[in-house]
Amino acid sequence: DMAEKLIKVAALRELRQAPVLTPPDGLYDEFSARFPYEETEDPETSIEAVLDDLASGRPMDRLICGDVGFGKTEVALRAAFIAAMAGYQVAVVTPTTLLSRQHFRTFTDRFAGLPIRLRQLSRLVGAREAAEVREELKTGRVDIVVGTHALLAKSVAFADLGLLIVDEEQHFGVAQKERLKELRADVHVLTLTATPIPRTLQLALSGVREMSLIATPPIDRLAVRTFVLPYDPVVVREAILREHYRGGQTFYVCPRIEDLDKVAERLRKLVPEIKIVTAHGRMAPSHLEKAMTAFYDRTYDLLLSTNIIESGLDIPTANTLIVERADRLGLAQAYQIRGRVGRSRERAFAYLLYPSAEALTEEAAARLSTLVDHTELGSGFKIAMRDLDIRGAGDLLGDEQSGHVAAVGFELYCQMIDEAVAETAARRDAEEGAEEAEPLRFDVPVDAFLPASYVPFEAAKIDIHRRVVAARAPGELRAIRDELDDRFGPPPREAENLLALQRARIELRLAGARSVELRGGRLSVVGVDLDSDGSGALAERVEGALYEWREKTASMRVPEEPEARLAAVLALAEGLREAGRSPMIEKDMLPAS
């Protein structure tokens, strides 16, 4: 069910036109000038790419991958300004109430004085106000809404949604993200993350989604100095007091809510000089809001919390982070939490603590050592690539966001998208009175892939597979074959089979074939229309080939050996071409058999 839904949404987005959104003259420059920092090269490039996508007339699906504090929010603000000023609604979806609250403040500040109405929808909003927001979204009175999962509820309807912004997308499930796209198949989608989950990264690397990298740090930003060590009360006291005496604040993260009271009592005895406030996800919204506002206003020196601070919080005065039981955190999660500090020009410090060397598992040690290895600015993409390597790419067609499922690869995904697009287009054409076209179904068991021993790099394998599937002329396949020869040496049998199968697909598609299948030792090509001369020519050129004009099917017996299957497919494809059903194919386009 999930696969069918994913394919349907992807196919509709392939075919749909999206609103053409362009920046309003003069006003856009004025809005951009409100950005208080000097832009580096990468955010500029990402903003240009987003502007091109919005003006293209096709639904945008772009991933902005950049480290915490590197300017992803500014890219989102510019896109939201263009969409809202063009008269379309913008939805900004965040994983936590705290991040929703912060974004709402940021958007409110930047859009001050402009004719744009902003509202918020999250747990921090009362029931009466939430009902008002839903009604205003439905009637189109709200231009930009910032919210949490509450925006995914079936009770939320938009009058004219034009742009969807998903922040910290690694916290959302596949079903939730696709539900967002289902709101409108022609909606522009902009996704922001520092550490994309493996499935998202795989989609971006394989070309299903566009990706922009923001790797250049802001000017004068310093890397966070990271220490991984067993828990030591002396180190904890010194770290907190050093931050206190230099006029800063401290984050103290404890993964489990059950342990917060015990840790708070221990900290009050250990560092009686400082004021401590506690925050976690089970607090009443009003208490959470009060605690966070007090910490923002520097009423307290230390915020003791669970990992709810992980997502996007921006408090420049907090530059020391202590994480208790860091061995319980995932790799991307620990990296995100470390990104809460070091967001100003002060040197920041992060202490990742674990109970003892004996309590540390091999996987936890690998995660923590990766964080120590990648302390330089802009390491988020490297961390995500390492996560992809450790956890696998997940399922392109299901709700698994990690796991090794190489058997269902990118080629099959492309094929299914092509078929779904063709079916949708055919349905639309049929409604308009056009002749219905069917995709070519290929059901012949042949070992056709790029072995890991031949192309060892996963990203290169995905790219080559994508280009082979996308090839529409034999000349393109010859170019890929030559490139493989130059880069990796002569292709093995499986790789040769992959190229040969695509060549057969090209010829059979042009011959008008609808399906190719092997059943009970007999190969059948359905949907080819030969006259009496053509069927005679086929029998002459391909030994044992038969043509049944009532079923429009060409068939032949195939020996049991796997190598014979592909030879038979190629022979039948070339025989049909020679029989005169493919005038579009020129002789010089085709390689020697």
Side-chain angles (χ1 to χ4, degrees):
D1 290 347
M2 170 66 72
E4 189 177 341
K5 199 173 285 185
L6 287 170
I7 286 292
K8 185 179 176 185
V9 172
L12 282 171
R13 288 177 65 81
E14 283 282 324
L15 290 168
R16 287 288 175 88
Q17 294 293 307
V20 176
L21 307 178
T22 53
D25 291 338
L27 273 176
Y28 177 74
D29 295 330
E30 186 185 317
F31 181 81
S32 303
R34 294 185 181 189
F35 185 49
Y37 306 103
E38 191 177 331
E39 288 161 3
T40 52
E41 185 183 341
D42 285 357
E44 283 275 15
T45 307
S46 300
I47 289 165
E48 285 171 17
V50 169
L51 293 184
D52 289 344
D53 288 348
L54 292 174
S56 69
R58 295 285 302 279
M60 172 174 71
D61 194 1
R62 183 168 289 275
L63 172 71
I64 305 290
C65 181
D67 250 32
V68 286
F70 273 37
K72 299 187 299 295
T73 305
E74 182 60 22
V75 179
L77 280 163
R78 305 264 181 107
F81 173 77
I82 292 167
M85 292 302 285
Y88 291 94
Q89 290 176 304
V90 179
V92 183
V93 186
T94 67
T96 66
T97 51
L98 292 183
L99 184 55
S100 171
R101 170 184 179 274
Q102 178 179 294
H103 273 326
F104 184 66
R105 284 186 170 187
T106 304
F107 273 70
T108 303
D109 290 345
R110 281 297 292 278
F111 282 89
L114 291 169
I116 301 294
R117 183 165 167 75
L118 288 100
R119 294 303 297 266
Q120 186 179 190
L121 191 61
S122 73
R123 205 164 57 92
L124 298 175
V125 174
R128 183 182 296 175
E129 190 183 340
E132 270 178 33
V133 173
R134 283 194 286 268
E135 181 59 31
E136 289 181 352
L137 282 172
K138 195 173 181 180
T139 56
R141 292 202 299 276
V142 171
D143 300 301
I144 298 176
V145 61
V146 182
T148 56
H149 299 74
L151 284 172
L152 306 180
K154 297 238 171 127
S155 59
V156 176
F158 293 87
D160 198 4
L161 182 64
L163 173 66
L164 168 69
I165 298 168
V166 183
D167 196 14
E168 303 291 347
E169 66 85 38
Q170 70 273 14
H171 291 285
F172 293 95
V174 172
Q176 292 167 327
K177 284 179 281 197
E178 296 304 324
R179 157 83 182 117
L180 289 165
K181 286 184 195 172
E182 278 178 34
L183 295 172
R184 285 258 306 260
D186 53 0
V187 71
H188 292 292
V189 181
L190 183 65
T191 305
L192 314 176
T193 181
T195 48
I197 48 162
R199 180 181 183 274
T200 300
L201 187 58
Q202 179 87 339
L203 287 169
L205 290 174
S206 56
V208 176
R209 302 178 67 175
E210 297 295 328
M211 178 168 68
S212 294
L213 271 179
I214 302 180
T216 52
I219 294 161
D220 294 336
R221 180 69 59 85
L222 299 171
V224 178
R225 195 164 285 167
T226 305
F227 304 93
V228 175
L229 64 162
Y231 178 83
D232 184 340
V234 176
V235 173
V236 171
R237 175 176 163 79
E238 285 184 0
I240 294 170
L241 285 179
R242 184 182 60 224
E243 186 62 48
H244 176 61
Y245 289 132
R246 72 171 179 171
Q249 294 170 284
T250 300
F251 288 121
Y252 197 105
V253 175
C254 177
R256 293 178 8 151
I257 293 176
E258 293 78 10
D259 300 332
L260 285 177
D261 291 340
K262 187 170 60 178
V263 173
E265 189 58 36
R266 190 194 330 135
L267 283 172
R268 286 191 181 97
K269 289 178 182 175
L270 186 64
V271 201
E273 300 93 328
I274 63 159
K275 294 180 182 176
I276 299 171
V277 65
T278 303
H280 59 79
R282 288 189 200 157
M283 290 172 72
S286 57
H287 292 167
L288 183 61
E289 173 87 10
K290 192 175 174 183
M292 290 308 299
T293 302
F295 190 67
Y296 268 113
D297 296 340
R298 306 190 66 173
T299 309
Y300 294 94
D301 305 303
L302 184 144
L303 176 68
L304 172 63
S305 76
T306 56
N307 51 11
I308 77 167
I309 67 158
E310 171 189 346
S311 298
L313 281 192
D314 188 3
I315 305 178
T317 52
N319 282 303
T320 290
L321 167 75
I322 300 169
V323 182
E324 198 166 296
R325 291 308 304 261
D327 54 309
R328 287 178 170 166
L329 300 177
L331 184 54
Q333 196 175 35
Y335 183 77
Q336 286 280 352
I337 290 173
R338 185 175 72 179
R340 295 312 104 216
V341 295
R343 301 175 75 93
S344 65
R345 295 180 181 182
E346 293 286 338
R347 168 71 75 182
F349 299 89
Y351 299 84
L352 306 178
L353 309 178
Y354 55 90
S356 65
E358 295 75 35
L360 207 58
T361 65
E362 192 177 330
E363 292 83 0
R367 291 196 298 271
L368 292 173
S369 65
T370 300
L371 287 165
V372 176
D373 291 343
H374 295 94
T375 56
E376 70 274 13
L377 294 167
S379 300
F381 187 69
K382 295 175 187 173
I383 294 272
M385 288 294 283
R386 178 76 184 124
D387 204 20
L388 175 66
D389 189 39
I390 293 170
R391 297 202 289 153
D395 193 345
L396 291 168
L397 293 174
D399 52 8
E400 298 292 325
Q401 304 220 89
S402 63
H404 295 273
V405 287
V408 180
F410 184 69
E411 181 182 7
L412 176 60
Y413 180 81
C414 280
Q415 208 174 314
M416 292 179 79
I417 291 285
D418 278 349
E419 288 177 10
V421 169
E423 283 170 20
T424 309
R427 204 175 301 119
R428 190 179 64 184
D429 290 344
E431 287 168 8
E432 295 170 2
E435 187 180 344
E436 188 166 340
E438 290 187 41
L440 174 64
R441 300 192 65 84
F442 214 96
D443 187 8
V444 180
V446 175
D447 288 335
F449 59 94
L450 295 170
S453 56
Y454 179 57
V455 181
F457 313 111
E458 197 65 29
K461 263 172 40 177
I462 292 165
D463 180 55
I464 293 163
H465 266 289
R466 178 172 61 83
R467 288 168 56 202
V468 169
V469 174
R472 291 294 178 266
E476 294 174 46
L477 294 173
R478 281 202 299 275
I480 296 170
R481 170 69 171 77
D482 293 342
E483 184 185 324
L484 287 174
D485 225 347
D486 292 341
R487 287 175 67 187
F488 306 105
R493 180 174 55 82
E494 297 89 349
E496 291 280 18
N497 288 355
L498 183 68
L499 295 166
L501 267 183
Q502 185 61 17
R503 195 178 85 204
R505 277 198 191 101
I506 291 168
E507 297 190 18
L508 289 167
R509 200 178 276 125
L510 289 170
R514 292 198 308 274
S515 67
V516 184
E517 63 177 17
L518 181 64
R519 292 282 184 274
R522 191 159 197 86
L523 178 71
S524 302
V525 176
V526 180
V528 286
D529 192 4
L530 297 180
D531 56 20
S532 56
D533 291 338
S535 61
L538 177 66
E540 282 178 23
R541 287 178 172 82
V542 183
E543 187 178 349
L546 295 173
Y547 179 72
E548 299 169 46
W549 66 271
R550 287 182 190 277
E551 286 78 19
K552 295 187 178 180
T553 300
S555 63
M556 62 183 291
R557 300 291 305 173
V558 178
E560 292 295 320
E561 298 79 26
E563 292 80 9
R565 295 171 186 162
L566 186 56
V569 171
L570 282 170
L572 204 50
E574 289 174 1
L576 287 166
R577 181 249 301 169
E578 291 292 336
R581 285 301 301 154
S582 303
M584 294 167 66
I585 300 181
E586 300 293 334
K587 298 275 184 186
D588 59 356
M589 282 175 65
L590 293 163
S593 310

